[in-house]
Amino acid sequence: MSVQTRSVLTAVLAALVAVAGFLDVLPLAGLAAVLVLALAAGWPALAGLPFAPGSTAVVALGGLGAVAAVTYTPLQPYLQHMPVVFAGAVVLAFVNELLRRDGRVRLVESVSGTVAGTVLAVCVTGWVATARVEGGAALVVGGAVALALGSAVVALHGRTWLVYLLTVVAAAGGGTLVGALLPTVELTTGAVLGFGVGVLVAAMHALFDRVPALARRLPSLAVAVLPVTVSGVLVYVAGRVLAG
């Protein structure tokens, strides 16, 4: 999967997040669950983990459990039960190693890689938690629009530093535009949120763009999904700090 294809896929997924967030919490939670499964399927190959089936199961269960916990927690803070789910996933990561029958080679790498993948999957709950607070749907739309624009620009050809600069500018511009159009999002909040999302998109592109595993389909899918999942927690934090 080429970098252009991955970037377009990320932008499309971000647009779907914006639409789902505007509709209701449950469609957004369903989309978050799909993103978790896509990330879980490709993460072991992307990270080069030695026991892919077990790592995929742990990442999927941890991410899906966190999405369910945040969706059905009745009162704020909606992330209050997410650490418990993540702790359970860490325990599952060790159980996964106990089930291995391959001599448990690269044990530390396997555990740490599985836990890292679970952290990235759990980050998607930020979208759901943000959508559940008052005025949060507008923040979801702002973050998703910034992510879509930044993801589209990062695939441009040119000097690396210039492409990354344009990525941040485009994402910040998208967040600012949403802040200008939607009364529930302040202009400053939209601009800062867009800037943060743009930096995240550029950083993840720089981190994963030359990984050899991207020659395969599932790792490429995981890389396309990663900016969407990780942006969730960024949008939540920006909403809590800037919007209150």
Side-chain angles (χ1 to χ4, degrees):
M1 190 182 294
S2 67
V3 60
Q4 290 79 16
T5 302
R6 295 197 308 270
S7 298
V8 169
L9 179 57
T10 303
V12 170
L13 291 173
L16 291 176
V17 169
V19 173
F22 183 77
L23 293 175
D24 197 11
V25 173
L26 288 181
L28 183 59
L31 178 58
V34 173
L35 294 174
V36 166
L37 293 176
L39 176 60
W43 176 255
L46 179 64
L49 302 182
F51 186 48
S55 296
T56 294
V58 173
V59 174
L61 289 173
L64 293 176
V67 170
V70 174
T71 303
Y72 293 106
T73 296
L75 301 173
Q76 292 198 57
Y78 298 117
L79 295 179
Q80 60 183 298
H81 299 304
M82 189 263 286
V84 178
V85 176
F86 178 70
V90 172
V91 174
L92 286 178
F94 285 96
V95 173
N96 172 49
E97 301 305 318
L98 293 174
L99 295 176
R100 291 174 60 184
R101 294 295 181 266
D102 57 358
R104 294 174 191 159
V105 295
R106 299 158 56 200
L107 179 63
V108 175
E109 180 182 345
S110 180
V111 173
S112 60
T114 302
V115 172
T118 306
V119 171
L120 297 173
V122 165
C123 286
V124 78
T125 58
W127 293 110
V128 181
T130 301
R132 294 195 63 189
V133 301
E134 185 177 356
L139 282 172
V140 170
V141 172
V145 168
L147 178 60
L149 291 176
S151 299
V153 171
V154 80
L156 294 175
H157 294 289
R159 294 183 180 273
T160 303
W161 67 268
L162 181 58
V163 171
Y164 290 164
L165 177 61
L166 291 175
T167 297
V168 175
V169 170
T176 304
L177 179 62
V178 172
L181 295 178
L182 298 181
T184 54
V185 179
E186 294 183 3
L187 197 64
T188 304
T189 301
V192 173
L193 176 59
F195 176 82
V197 170
V199 170
L200 175 66
V201 171
M204 299 201 76
H205 184 271
L207 180 62
F208 290 106
D209 185 46
R210 298 184 184 277
V211 175
L214 294 183
R216 289 174 285 170
R217 183 174 298 177
L218 286 180
S220 294
L221 178 62
V223 168
V225 167
L226 266 175
V228 189
T229 61
V230 178
S231 295
V233 72
L234 178 61
V235 171
Y236 180 78
V237 171
R240 296 291 291 178
V241 172
L242 299 174

